[in-house]
Amino acid sequence: MGKLTTLKSRLGTAGSRLATLTQRPGATPRLRGRAAVDRRERWLMEHPCCVECRKEGRVVAADVVDHTVPLWKGGPDDESNFQSLCQTPHHDEKSAREAAERAKAR
Ligand SMILES: [Zn+2]
């Protein structure tokens, strides 16, 4: 269960970082707290592999529950918009792409 502790503390950091981002009009409010943690763990139990790695023919454990359409673009904060990703490279790459796109949209 050491692994779960690590994942939770990382999620805590991400949550406080995201809380400092300004909510833009049209962005979907994010579920937070215990309910969000439970939902994330349930999703990863059911969808344990990175979907992008699978497309490349590899089976890699996912680290991240990603919103396929980002919340800041109005993507829903529910399971219709979830995908499992590994942190590196796939979530890092997607985050970098979206940060660039978001910076341009300002
Ligand atoms: Zn991956």
Side-chain angles (χ1 to χ4, degrees):
M1 281 298 149
K3 175 106 177 157
L4 282 178
T5 308
T6 307
L7 289 173
K8 270 180 202 157
S9 61
R10 214 195 303 156
L11 187 69
T13 310
S16 56
R17 191 161 12 100
L18 286 164
T20 65
L21 296 173
T22 50
Q23 189 84 15
R24 71 163 60 200
T28 308
R30 167 185 294 261
L31 181 68
R32 295 179 189 281
R34 185 72 228 171
V37 172
D38 288 348
R39 187 177 63 170
R40 173 188 177 282
E41 286 181 2
R42 218 169 32 245
W43 179 267
L44 284 177
M45 292 281 274
E46 290 165 14
H47 308 84
C49 297
C50 171
V51 294
E52 293 298 328
C53 287
R54 287 295 290 267
K55 287 180 196 167
E56 296 167 7
R58 288 176 295 131
V59 176
V60 173
D63 306 300
V64 179
V65 180
D66 179 60
H67 292 93
T68 308
V69 178
L71 298 182
W72 62 268
K73 277 184 162 179
D77 185 24
D78 64 36
E79 300 194 348
S80 70
N81 191 34
F82 286 177
Q83 61 180 352
S84 298
L85 292 178
C86 63
Q87 181 67 52
T88 308
H90 289 122
H91 189 258
D92 290 348
E93 284 174 358
K94 185 169 186 278
S95 298
R97 265 198 317 275
E98 285 170 2
E101 202 181 320
R102 192 171 174 166
K104 237 183 287 172
R106 273 180 211 281

